[in-house]
Amino acid sequence: MKITSIETLLNEPYSSFLFFQPGNNNQILVAAPHHAPLGVQQLPCETHPSSDENTGWIAYHLSQRLNCGCLIAGNYFIDPNKYKTSDYFKRIEMLQPKILIEIHGHGSGSANFDIEISSGSHDKSHLSQQLANHLQQGFSGNKLLKNYTISGDFEEIHFRATKSLTINTHQWTAFHIELPQRIREDEHQYLQFCDFLKGAIFKIQ
């Protein structure tokens, strides 16, 4: 899809959509289940009324770097990663990636770290910690990102994704990544974040 078409879709403030773009790398899928454009804080969903602003853009740019598929639920009317019957979950199940990366956003002040990564359970904490460590190493020399705190320790993070069926599964290795508003609203920061995350993902494959 052309960038102009993507721009129109991801900046759409009202209409609900499920967008999928395939990539040559079928081993990885990048997804954003709660996207809304910047400035749109609410979703038309009773069970998940708060949006994860701009996460669709981050998922899209990351997928371009990884040359993999991208799945985005925008302004969505259900909480798609909590139901196996959702078209979002069914698309992931159909694609059967080896690695699923879900991009989320927080701004409530509940997070214990600026960036929190979970694989959904204590048993898989070594996976999320490994990814977090690689990211932290990459950030250390970057003036825009070096001051962000990062953790993948299931016991220490607040956003554990224990109720997310796309994360709590043995069908694929999953990473639930919570990003602060400061990164999500700043294109310079989130593009560099995507560069570092790409490198970190390749290191754990």
Side-chain angles (χ1 to χ4, degrees):
M1 183 178 283
K2 293 181 179 178
I3 190 69
T4 52
S5 301
I6 285 283
E7 251 183 318
T8 300
L9 190 64
L10 296 183
N11 291 330
E12 165 56 47
Y14 304 115
S15 299
S16 296
F17 64 85
L18 184 68
F19 165 79
F20 173 67
Q21 180 167 285
N24 292 328
N25 184 351
N26 296 321
Q27 298 295 302
I28 303 174
L29 178 66
V30 182
H34 306 129
H35 170 75
L38 281 175
V40 179
Q41 299 177 350
Q42 298 295 312
L43 296 174
C45 174
E46 290 185 7
T47 57
H48 197 292
S50 297
S51 72
D52 294 346
E53 295 173 67
N54 230 34
T55 51
W57 272 117
I58 298 169
Y60 173 74
H61 285 293
L62 179 61
S63 72
Q64 293 293 292
R65 285 158 170 74
L66 294 168
N67 196 19
C68 69
C70 180
L71 182 65
I72 301 168
N75 305 311
Y76 227 50
F77 48 88
I78 60 171
D79 193 358
N81 58 337
K82 306 297 194 305
Y83 300 96
K84 288 189 174 183
T85 55
S86 73
D87 47 1
Y88 174 88
F89 185 95
K90 288 180 178 179
R91 178 59 70 100
I92 299 172
E93 198 167 42
M94 181 185 74
L95 294 167
Q96 282 295 308
K98 180 181 176 183
I99 295 175
L100 171 67
I101 302 150
E102 268 193 0
I103 306 297
H104 296 260
H106 69 83
S108 63
S110 299
N112 296 326
F113 300 86
D114 296 321
I115 300 171
E116 297 194 344
I117 304 175
S118 176
S119 290
S121 68
H122 177 78
D123 292 343
K124 297 179 182 178
S125 185
H126 66 286
L127 297 171
S128 51
Q129 288 184 67
Q130 188 178 18
L131 185 61
N133 289 340
H134 286 310
L135 262 185
Q136 189 80 72
Q137 289 168 14
F139 282 12
S140 62
N142 183 277
K143 64 180 181 180
L144 285 178
L145 303 174
K146 65 181 180 180
N147 292 324
Y148 286 110
T149 58
I150 308 173
S151 180
D153 189 327
F154 186 79
E155 297 302 321
E156 295 183 355
I157 60 176
H158 175 77
F159 293 103
R160 297 178 173 181
T162 55
K163 296 180 180 179
S164 175
L165 300 183
T166 53
I167 304 298
N168 254 313
T169 180
H170 294 290
Q171 294 175 272
W172 45 77
T173 298
F175 297 99
H176 176 283
I177 302 178
E178 287 277 351
L179 298 176
Q181 182 80 8
R182 298 194 307 280
I183 289 179
R184 289 181 285 122
E185 68 186 9
D186 186 329
E187 185 177 24
H188 295 294
Q189 290 193 46
Y190 73 66
L191 290 179
Q192 290 190 47
F193 167 80
C194 288
D195 290 335
F196 287 116
L197 184 53
K198 170 192 172 182
I201 290 164
F202 282 148
K203 286 180 181 178
I204 64 170
Q205 277 190 285

